Amino acid sequence: MLKAVFRLTAALAVTTLVASAAAAAEFTVEPVTVTEMKAVFGRVESRIVVPARARIGGVVEDVRVGEGDNVAKGDTIAVIVDDKIALELKAADARLEALNSQLANARTELDRAQQLRTSGSGTQARLDQATMQFDVATNQVAAAIAEKAVVEQRAKEGEVLAPATGRVLTVPVTLGSVVMAGENVARIAPGPYYLRLSLPERHAAEIVEGAEVQVGERDLVRGAGELPAVSTGRISKVYPEIADGRVIADVEIESVGDYFVNERTLVSIPVGKRAALVVPPEAVKTVHGVDYVRIATADGEMDVVVVLGEIVRDNDAERIEVLSGLRAGDRVVLP
């Protein structure tokens, strides 16, 4: 008798546990708000593009960078040579040598005038004149040295230096080409980089600054059943002017620095919200390419054919959207 009571109690406990597990393994289908995403192409751009300009005119003798190279501020990009500068340097040296000779002669005359004045055979007027001629010659030599320094500085300006640290976008000159002062020798993008989007005008009211977007990785290769690898960014700016039926928006993302400028990548951007019916991924069973979901009814359990949509997030949980086959209030039986 005691064994029978024990068996009955155990059976009731097992039945209660099974019933509780069955109740906990049900998912009630209710409409949830889903953010509508639109896939567009974003173009990588640099907020700053700095031209490296030639400071003198002449012939390009050396080009030390190419498109895509990374340069640091102050690096030599190209060398420009003006043959007239070498001639001007020779002329400055010759003039300086002549003035140094005049200065030496003026110093000799000054020494002689001072000796004569000391001995009493020379006049003060002659000493004053020799002193003046020596001062004039000294100033002429100083002026010639300054003029030569100007010519030497012009020769140094033949080196075209990188104005900022960044990536070289274009180098529109070649060896032997003639450039004028102020002409672009290279264009450098120091960053920061961002993505520029161009969206249809109908989405203008739904795009807001600060909204989160998903950016596809470069060379995206998706295997069977794999989700695309994405990075997260945010809309940093929405431009108020619509041109040619398009609204422009900028997206900031941390890992965009290794992209090429003007490279395009896929971006999913929120453009609205809608109601959708969703179920947990484990509730879906696929047989011969057909998707089924088991639901609980008053007469028991039954499998229904469903048409699935995309994967969405509901309160940080992963769900699969059901396009048809279920209604709000259906109780889905989970395995």
Side-chain angles (χ1 to χ4, degrees):
M1 181 65 180
L2 184 58
K3 292 182 178 180
V5 173
F6 178 76
R7 290 175 181 174
L8 179 59
T9 304
L12 290 175
V14 172
T15 304
T16 302
L17 291 174
V18 172
S20 300
E26 288 186 359
F27 176 85
T28 302
V29 179
E30 296 292 345
V32 298
T33 302
V34 176
T35 302
E36 186 75 23
M37 305 294 289
K38 180 178 178 61
V40 297
F41 279 102
R43 188 176 69 251
V44 179
E45 293 190 2
S46 175
R47 294 199 180 278
I48 302 174
V49 177
V50 184
R53 300 183 184 275
R55 293 179 288 179
I56 64 172
V59 179
V60 178
E61 187 179 70
D62 187 15
V63 178
R64 301 181 182 179
V65 298
E67 288 82 353
D69 291 346
N70 291 318
V71 296
K73 184 177 180 180
D75 289 350
T76 302
I77 294 177
V79 177
I80 299 173
V81 175
D82 186 357
D83 294 336
K84 296 189 298 295
I85 295 179
L87 299 177
E88 291 176 1
L89 279 175
K90 291 181 179 180
D93 288 335
R95 184 168 183 269
L96 183 58
E97 185 177 353
L99 291 174
N100 283 327
S101 298
Q102 293 179 10
L103 178 62
N105 185 45
R107 182 179 292 108
T108 302
E109 290 293 333
L110 178 60
D111 292 341
R112 183 181 296 111
Q114 288 176 345
Q115 292 175 1
L116 292 175
R117 180 58 179 165
T118 302
S119 63
S121 59
T123 62
Q124 183 65 36
R126 184 178 178 183
L127 177 60
D128 293 340
Q129 184 179 5
T131 303
M132 181 192 66
Q133 291 177 351
F134 178 77
D135 292 339
V136 170
T138 302
N139 292 331
Q140 288 178 342
V141 170
I145 293 175
E147 291 176 358
K148 180 182 177 181
V150 172
V151 178
E152 291 175 343
Q153 180 61 32
R154 286 180 56 199
K156 292 180 180 178
E157 289 179 353
E159 294 184 353
V160 181
L161 306 180
T165 300
R167 183 179 298 168
V168 178
L169 298 183
T170 58
V171 182
V173 298
T174 58
L175 291 177
S177 59
V178 178
V179 296
M180 303 297 293
E183 188 173 342
N184 282 352
V185 176
R187 293 172 59 246
I188 300 173
Y193 298 106
Y194 66 98
L195 295 176
R196 173 153 293 181
L197 309 179
S198 178
L199 302 169
E201 182 180 353
R202 63 179 181 274
H203 299 306
E206 302 294 339
I207 303 174
V208 294
E209 294 184 3
E212 189 176 277
V213 301
Q214 295 178 339
V215 181
E217 293 185 353
R218 302 171 66 184
D219 299 329
L220 183 61
V221 179
R222 190 188 311 180
E226 294 182 0
L227 296 177
V230 296
S231 301
T232 301
R234 66 178 185 87
I235 299 177
S236 60
K237 187 174 184 179
V238 179
Y239 291 86
E241 183 180 9
I242 295 178
D244 298 328
R246 314 288 292 185
V247 58
I248 306 300
D250 293 342
V251 173
E252 289 185 353
I253 178 175
E254 293 182 357
S255 60
V256 77
D258 58 343
Y259 281 67
F260 289 105
V261 177
N262 291 330
E263 182 179 354
R264 298 201 307 165
T265 186
L266 195 63
V267 180
S268 294
I269 182 171
V271 294
K273 296 183 180 295
R274 58 183 173 84
L277 301 178
V278 297
V279 296
E282 61 269 19
V284 180
K285 178 177 64 175
T286 302
V287 179
H288 301 299
V290 181
D291 297 322
Y292 295 90
V293 171
R294 174 161 292 189
I295 62 174
T297 64
D299 299 331
E301 298 179 355
M302 62 177 296
D303 291 335
V304 296
V305 179
V306 293
V307 177
L308 303 180
E310 60 184 8
I311 297 177
V312 298
R313 305 290 297 183
D314 179 25
N315 295 329
D316 295 331
E318 191 175 87
R319 299 285 186 259
I320 299 180
E321 181 181 1
V322 178
L323 302 179
S324 65
L326 295 180
R327 295 177 298 178
D330 287 344
R331 294 180 293 126
V332 176
V333 179
L334 303 179

